[in-house]
Amino acid sequence: MPPTAPPVGLVLLLILGAAEGNLSRDVSQPTTSDETVVAGGTVVLKCQVEDPDDSSLQWSNPAQQTLYFGEKRALRDNRIQLERSTPNELTISISDVVLSDEGEYTCSIFTMPVRTAKALVTVLGIPQKPQIFGHEQPIDEEKIARLTCRSSGSKPAAQLRWKKGNKELKAEGTEVVEDSNGKTFTVSSRVEFRVTKEDNDAEVTCTVDHESLQNSERSTTQKLQVHYKPTAKIEPHPQYPREGEKLQLQCDGQGNPVPQEFLWEKEGSDAPLQLSSDSILIFPFLNKSDSGTYICTATSSMGSVIAKYNLDVSDASPVPSTSSTYHAVIGGVVAVIVFLLLSLLIVLGHYLIRHKGTYLTHEAKGSDDAPDADTAIINAEGGQAGGDDKKEYFI
């Protein structure tokens, strides 16, 4: 089914209404906008008009004091500066804004009649760094910690939140009080929780959230001090005591506060061995009779704890050490080297015996019986030709 055209009367009515709206719009009416600024910052106020009708624009403060008339300064306040002045626009800025600058500013144009526009300036009060109270004294374990966080100077009132370590804490209550200047507020928040020994040195943080901080944070962190019962254990030095050696038994006491008194006793003995602030029991020269169970009682303001150690004195025979093992290895290597050298000498001697040296000598027979030297030479020459060779063997 084809769409039907609207009635002619309705079209004429809409055209007449639009024309009446255009005629009723005041082109000489100035326009402004509300502004929000953080205390200490700068706010810019802009006033615009479509048809100034040969008139000038003017800005005035909440006390109706003229700030600027056109480009002319009217109030001697160096914080207020002219940013732009044209027949259609008057823009000024106010720096180092304070809380008293808050209010309605008026832009006027002196036509017939005078036309005005309002701009509401809201000044945000920056909250001070929060403070935490209630942590000054240590808290005993299993007791309730009650902490208060407080921040002043915020406008509007700030929000406070708590954390212990990385865990959020739920506030028990929040209080908002107006400051003496009648403009800003002081906010207080309380939190309560039961503490344990694990909370000792835990960090508790209070953070203030406020739109004036512009996505930054202001926070304060304090460490908790928790008093808890002591613990103790006995450590021997050396670890494996032997007869004739010196031994120290150390009673290692932990806690907050740390133990300040140590009582040493031997099980089965009536008299205590030692009572002092010294946690070490010394045996200058161990005997077999020192064997037994020793008891250390460590005491602090939070109570006492007992630790036991069973001492078994071993014989005085030396225990192979790393040094003696090292020496044994060196001795074995030297023995192997000596054995190899002796073996080499034996093989070399056997080889020389198997390969004997042979030397020939030519001694003339009968030369020993000659009466003089000449006869001996003659006899030797004659004997050399026909004599047998003599052989000498040398090893």
Side-chain angles (χ1 to χ4, degrees):
M1 181 177 180
T4 59
V8 176
L10 180 59
V11 173
L12 292 175
L13 182 63
L14 291 174
I15 294 174
L16 291 175
E20 184 179 355
N22 289 333
L23 292 175
S24 63
R25 186 170 67 87
D26 190 352
V27 292
S28 296
Q29 174 63 38
T31 58
T32 60
S33 62
D34 295 340
E35 302 293 339
T36 299
V37 60
V38 177
T42 299
V43 62
V44 176
L45 300 177
K46 178 187 290 187
C47 181
Q48 293 177 309
V49 63
E50 185 174 337
D51 182 10
D53 194 18
D54 295 329
S55 297
S56 296
L57 294 169
Q58 170 187 290
W59 272 111
S60 57
N61 63 15
Q64 296 305 311
Q65 296 172 312
T66 301
L67 304 178
Y68 268 91
F69 182 74
E71 60 183 10
K72 295 180 180 179
R73 180 195 295 270
L75 186 67
R76 292 184 178 180
D77 188 342
N78 291 330
R79 300 181 305 130
I80 305 173
Q81 297 294 326
L82 178 65
E83 298 294 331
R84 182 179 174 84
S85 176
T86 68
N88 301 90
E89 179 183 338
L90 179 59
T91 301
I92 63 173
S93 65
I94 307 174
S95 59
D96 298 328
V97 173
V98 295
L99 293 173
S100 60
D101 291 326
E102 184 173 88
E104 277 190 343
Y105 288 75
T106 304
C107 176
S108 306
I109 186 168
F110 293 92
T111 57
M112 293 298 291
V114 176
R115 294 169 174 83
T116 61
K118 302 289 186 181
L120 177 62
V121 174
T122 301
V123 181
L124 302 178
I126 303 175
Q128 297 177 4
K129 185 176 181 179
Q131 293 179 294
I132 298 177
F133 304 93
H135 64 91
E136 296 82 6
Q137 298 297 325
I139 309 168
D140 293 347
E141 63 177 333
E142 302 302 328
K143 296 293 182 66
I144 301 297
R146 294 178 173 86
L147 305 178
T148 301
C149 179
R150 184 175 298 127
S151 174
S152 303
S154 59
K155 177 182 174 298
Q159 299 290 326
L160 300 177
R161 53 188 171 90
W162 292 89
K163 288 176 71 176
K164 184 180 71 171
N166 295 322
K167 181 181 178 182
E168 297 282 347
L169 294 176
K170 183 180 179 180
E172 297 294 327
T174 301
E175 181 182 19
V176 179
V177 178
E178 189 177 69
D179 294 334
S180 58
N181 59 19
K183 295 181 179 295
T184 59
F185 299 90
T186 294
V187 184
S188 300
S189 176
R190 294 180 294 104
V191 70
E192 297 181 358
F193 55 92
R194 189 179 301 276
V195 299
T196 63
K197 62 181 296 184
E198 287 75 20
D199 290 324
N200 187 47
D201 288 334
E203 292 185 343
V204 176
T205 302
C206 176
T207 301
V208 56
D209 294 323
H210 195 262
E211 54 187 307
S212 67
L213 299 178
Q214 300 176 352
N215 299 323
S216 62
E217 284 189 353
R218 283 195 174 182
S219 61
T220 297
T221 299
Q222 295 291 344
K223 283 189 176 182
L224 294 178
Q225 290 297 315
V226 179
H227 280 179
Y228 55 91
K229 294 180 180 179
T231 60
K233 63 179 180 179
I234 298 176
E235 295 285 348
H237 303 282
Q239 188 174 2
Y240 302 104
R242 293 189 169 275
E243 188 176 14
E245 294 181 344
K246 179 182 178 180
L247 173 66
Q248 291 184 352
L249 295 181
Q250 181 174 2
C251 188
D252 185 13
Q254 302 292 329
N256 188 23
V258 295
Q260 297 296 322
E261 183 181 87
F262 299 89
L263 172 64
W264 284 98
E265 299 173 288
K266 184 178 181 181
E267 203 170 71
S269 177
D270 296 333
L273 302 176
Q274 180 177 296
L275 175 61
S276 70
S277 59
D278 192 355
S279 62
I280 298 177
L281 181 65
I282 299 176
F283 297 84
F285 192 85
L286 275 179
N287 293 313
K288 284 283 190 178
S289 59
D290 292 325
S291 297
T293 301
Y294 289 83
I295 304 171
C296 170
T297 304
T299 303
S300 73
S301 60
M302 292 297 295
S304 299
V305 65
I306 292 177
K308 294 185 177 182
Y309 175 73
N310 186 31
L311 174 60
D312 184 14
V313 180
S314 302
D315 293 334
S317 56
V319 178
S321 62
T322 304
S323 177
S324 61
T325 303
Y326 173 77
H327 292 158
V329 171
I330 295 298
V333 172
V334 172
V336 170
I337 294 174
V338 171
F339 174 77
L340 292 175
L341 289 175
L342 291 176
S343 300
L344 182 60
L345 290 175
I346 293 173
V347 172
L348 182 59
H350 183 67
Y351 175 82
L352 293 176
I353 291 173
R354 295 286 300 271
H355 299 76
K356 302 172 185 178
T358 303
Y359 300 90
L360 299 179
T361 58
H362 303 279
E363 297 180 358
K365 295 178 181 181
S367 60
D368 292 335
D369 299 329
D372 51 40
D374 294 333
T375 305
I377 293 174
I378 294 172
N379 291 340
E381 291 177 352
Q384 237 177 5
D388 297 331
D389 293 339
K390 288 186 178 181
K391 296 182 181 180
E392 293 184 357
Y393 299 92
F394 296 92
I395 297 177

